[in-house]
Amino acid sequence: MLGILRRIVQEVNAAHDLDQVLDIIVSNIKKVMVVDAASVYLSENDLKQLVLMKTDGLNLDAVGEMRLAVDEGLTGYVTCSAETVNIACASEDRRYLDIPGSGDGEFNAYLGVPVVHQRRVLGALVVQRYDKRKFSEDSVGFLVALASQLAAGILHAQLMNHASVVLSRDTGKEKYFNCVPGAPGVAIGTAVVVYSSTDFDSIPDRKVDNVEKEIEIFRKAVKDVRDDIKLMQQRLFDVLSEEDNALFDAYVLLACGDSLVNETTQRIKKGNWAQGALRTTIQEQSLRFNQIQDEYMRERADDVREIGLRIFRKLHADDSVPCSYPKRTILVGEEIGATQLAEVPTKRIAGIISAKGSHSSHVAILARSMGIPAIMGAGNVAIGWLDQCEVIADGYQGRIYVDPPPLVLAEYGRLIREDSQLKKDLKGLRKQPAETPDGVNMTLLINSGLLSDEKSSSKSGGGGVGLYRTEFPFMMRESFPSEAEQIALYRNVLKAYHPCPVTIRTLDIGGDKSLPYFPVVEDNPALGWRGMRMTLDHPEILITQIKAMLKASVGYSNLQILFPMLTNLSELDEAQTLFEQALYEVEKEGHQIDPPKTGAMIEVPSAARQAEAFAKRVDFLSVGTNDLTQYMLAVDRNNARVSNLYDHFHPAVLHVVMDVVEAARRQVKPVSICGEMAGDPIGAILLLAMGVSSLSMAASSIPKIKWAIRNVTYAQARQALNLSLEKEHSYEIRHLLGDLLEKNGLGSLVRPGSS
């Protein structure tokens, strides 16, 4: 049964529209379970109605016409209760509903199983027989397993179908998708889809101007792949058996066969570019193989995809035409990275839409640093369909509008103008201190790591750098930078902000921050080899980096060094020993060094619980609320599926941050907050009340945070904190602080568009 399950799921995943998916499901279920009828019902209008979408056994005229309220009949009960129903005679059950013309009344035995995806009931799978006999436990188990395995595929097919309707130009409807807010703001522009050279499904369709040239490019790629395969065969000819050599011949036939070449060529002639045409051909051929009963032949679907990927890589490598970025580019992709962002001219990038990730993913952090809106977790959008469409990216609500009508454009245009006016109004605060009306000061620093940060920070009114992320410059290279290159990099930063302090964090890769030349593949990277764990295992990397920082600081003396991702005190002790070693070696070389202050990042619960012991060993603490929240709540901050659980205003997180601040206070050590909580007006007010020494955030956030601090008294903040620490839910805390900000005339900080 496992093999059958796997085959059906593979066929569904290879299908490219909802009708094909449902056909595959009912035909396979009827054949495998040997039943007289197999049907799929899907919900519409948020579970207000169930619609018979596909059947093999009931009256075909009822498809699309037979509708049930979610509490009607046996199938309505299955979806309403999310329970399996297995009975010998349906008509004898009190929940049975006879629907004239459906053909449903001819059957007796009934088995209905809900299709559920992430707590949401999508519909039901129903099988029926003429005889009066309950289905066996094995049959029930099979259908339950199949429903759970198919839920994601059905949802994806529904979304693809929805996208085709939403993106059609003649609907006249307001067309939008709800996703996850990543970075605040609104952008109106043209979507440009970027894609991976290893992911067929992310390749968009694009119009091609020169069809003959495109066909020539495609045929050359096919020839190159064929030549590569033949060369591999020649190299291995003497060591392979006759059967294994035949495998290479089969690969050549797949790559050069009339079916693949001709089908792709026909699609190019219809106006699609080679990559998009090849994608559709490979998907269709894979599906054909998956539907064959013979297991050996089904496995050829993998060979087809392998050949397709080889051809696509050739096309990708030979693409000499640089991507064209419109004036207001909305960058769209499965997973947007720093390198993809860097390829877009900064004056042209208007927003980001990423299918993967959440509000606290590093691409969202980058977007906030750059001051551009971002939408994450757009997995419910067939992103390939968005290419070259006019879109609105609403980073406040996490909403994507596609080809918006004039009224929607006008409303969002108004919001953009109000945001722009607010930014202009706040420029007057640049030279003003972040001081409450009753005289309490807060130091505001910036999080940096991008070249654009240095240009924007001087306009923001920040008082130095609270966190310089060295991993971003490392990520933009093809190899580890030398000591000399790092010296030049850090010296530019120290010089730019002198005499203000600059806190440089040692290399913190791992998790969702990887280096292309130093790949780390782990099952659970968030809990894996990252931060100090990696650099302590490679002291040569850490010592080189610290030496570069020290040499860069000569003549400036505004350097502070921060050690990230510490779990145990022994890690900090070891890091301090390597710091002392680097300092000794630099001084031995004849450099006069003013020893910088060192700090420990508190972003792991174990470190938070030992905050006082950490404070004894360093000059300052820096709380990374992003990772601390992730580990406190056991929520992967890059996983859109659980992004709703990630909340730095969770009462447990607030209490832990408060404990860290009090532990540092007992050791008379300052505490900085460098996570996203610091750049949130609500978070800033609470942290001010806790007594933190400084807040570090994206340069674009400083004017708003300064405005909030200058308009809320310390007494109000303390009262709000005390009340917040008594709350049991984060939404209560948000409402409490939101009301305070609105009362003090700061409503636009928490409710965009309000006055």
Side-chain angles (χ1 to χ4, degrees), residues 442-688:
M442 172 63 74
T443 300
L444 301 184
L445 308 170
I446 74 158
N447 292 336
S448 182
L450 299 171
L451 293 176
S452 58
D453 291 332
E454 295 177 24
K455 298 175 183 178
S456 60
S457 62
S458 60
K459 302 176 183 178
S460 68
V465 179
L467 174 65
Y468 183 84
R469 304 182 181 97
T470 58
E471 58 270 15
F472 290 145
F474 274 67
M475 291 164 68
M476 305 302 293
R477 298 176 51 86
E478 295 182 356
S479 62
F480 280 107
S482 66
E483 181 180 313
E485 289 171 323
Q486 290 188 63
I487 290 171
L489 176 67
Y490 304 145
R491 192 162 181 82
N492 284 338
V493 177
L494 294 169
K495 179 181 178 181
Y497 294 100
H498 186 267
C500 296
V502 175
T503 301
I504 301 182
R505 182 173 68 187
T506 60
L507 188 61
D508 184 19
I509 61 168
D512 63 340
K513 297 173 292 182
S514 61
L515 303 181
Y517 49 87
F518 192 74
V520 178
V521 180
E522 297 179 300
D523 292 334
N524 194 345
L527 298 178
W529 197 52
R530 54 174 301 196
M532 291 306 299
R533 298 171 184 178
M534 188 282 288
T535 53
L536 289 177
D537 283 351
H538 282 276
E540 75 282 6
I541 296 175
L542 182 59
I543 289 177
T544 298
Q545 186 176 33
I546 294 175
K547 288 173 68 175
M549 293 179 191
L550 294 171
K551 291 178 182 179
S553 72
V554 174
Y556 292 113
S557 301
N558 58 335
L559 169 68
Q560 297 186 153
I561 296 178
L562 181 61
F563 300 118
M565 191 64 187
L566 296 162
T567 305
N568 303 310
L569 290 166
S570 58
E571 292 172 331
L572 178 57
D573 293 339
E574 190 175 351
Q576 292 280 37
T577 298
L578 292 175
F579 166 76
E580 294 293 339
Q581 178 184 333
L583 180 60
Y584 171 77
E585 291 177 6
V586 169
E587 289 179 335
K588 190 177 179 181
E589 292 176 21
H591 298 281
Q592 298 295 318
I593 303 295
D594 184 6
K597 294 179 179 179
T598 59
M601 283 201 79
I602 306 297
E603 48 191 341
V604 178
S606 61
R609 293 295 295 172
Q610 287 189 289
E612 189 162 2
F614 275 93
K616 291 177 181 178
R617 290 165 164 78
V618 292
D619 300 298
F620 64 95
L621 297 181
S622 180
V623 181
T625 56
N626 297 344
D627 273 330
L628 182 60
T629 301
Q630 172 176 239
Y631 297 131
M632 281 290 300
L633 304 183
V635 174
D636 179 357
R637 63 192 180 107
N638 298 307
N639 187 341
R641 182 176 293 180
V642 292
S643 62
N644 62 307
L645 299 176
Y646 180 95
D647 191 343
H648 50 228
F649 294 126
H650 190 290
V653 176
L654 287 186
H655 280 278
V656 167
V657 174
M658 186 73 191
D659 290 344
V660 172
V661 173
E662 290 178 345
R665 186 182 295 123
R666 290 193 292 271
Q667 294 299 317
V668 198
K669 299 292 174 64
V671 177
S672 177
I673 306 293
C674 64
E676 293 303 305
M677 187 179 184
D680 186 316
I682 290 175
I685 298 303
L686 292 173
L687 295 168
L688 167 76

Side-chain angles (χ1 to χ4, degrees), residues 39 85 136 161 171 201 245 272 378-379 468 471 528 558 583 603 610:
S39 308
V85 172
S136 69
N161 188 62
T171 61
D201 296 329
N245 269 300
N272 203 357
Y468 183 84
E471 58 270 15
N558 58 335
L583 180 60
E603 48 191 341
Q610 287 189 289

Side-chain angles (χ1 to χ4, degrees), residues 650-754:
H650 190 290
V653 176
L654 287 186
H655 280 278
V656 167
V657 174
M658 186 73 191
D659 290 344
V660 172
V661 173
E662 290 178 345
R665 186 182 295 123
R666 290 193 292 271
Q667 294 299 317
V668 198
K669 299 292 174 64
V671 177
S672 177
I673 306 293
C674 64
E676 293 303 305
M677 187 179 184
D680 186 316
I682 290 175
I685 298 303
L686 292 173
L687 295 168
L688 167 76
M690 288 183 190
V692 303
S693 309
S694 59
L695 303 176
S696 189
M697 65 200 73
S700 59
S701 297
I702 284 183
K704 292 182 179 181
I705 298 304
K706 186 178 287 188
W707 187 35
I709 290 173
R710 289 178 61 84
N711 285 277
V712 176
T713 67
Y714 181 71
Q716 286 178 314
R718 282 295 304 178
Q719 182 181 22
L721 174 64
N722 291 335
L723 290 173
S724 296
L725 292 175
E726 296 174 358
K727 301 298 183 184
E728 296 181 343
H729 303 284
S730 58
Y731 67 82
E732 295 175 308
I733 296 169
R734 290 180 184 276
H735 288 163
L736 176 68
L737 271 296
D739 289 345
L740 172 61
L741 292 176
E742 190 146 10
K743 174 185 173 184
N744 287 27
L746 305 168
S748 59
L749 292 180
V750 288
R751 298 179 180 87
S754 65

Side-chain angles (χ1 to χ4, degrees), residues 51-101:
V51 181
L52 175 64
M53 296 297 293
K54 188 68 66 173
T55 186
D56 187 344
L58 299 186
N59 187 346
L60 293 178
D61 291 337
V63 173
E65 300 298 325
M66 180 175 166
R67 294 172 180 267
L68 301 168
V70 290
D71 57 352
E72 281 188 319
L74 288 167
T75 307
Y77 178 82
V78 168
T79 54
C80 185
S81 64
E83 293 180 15
T84 296
V85 172
N86 180 17
I87 51 181
C89 185
S91 60
E92 294 176 1
D93 191 278
R94 60 179 178 77
R95 297 164 295 189
Y96 175 74
L97 177 68
D98 182 26
I99 301 177

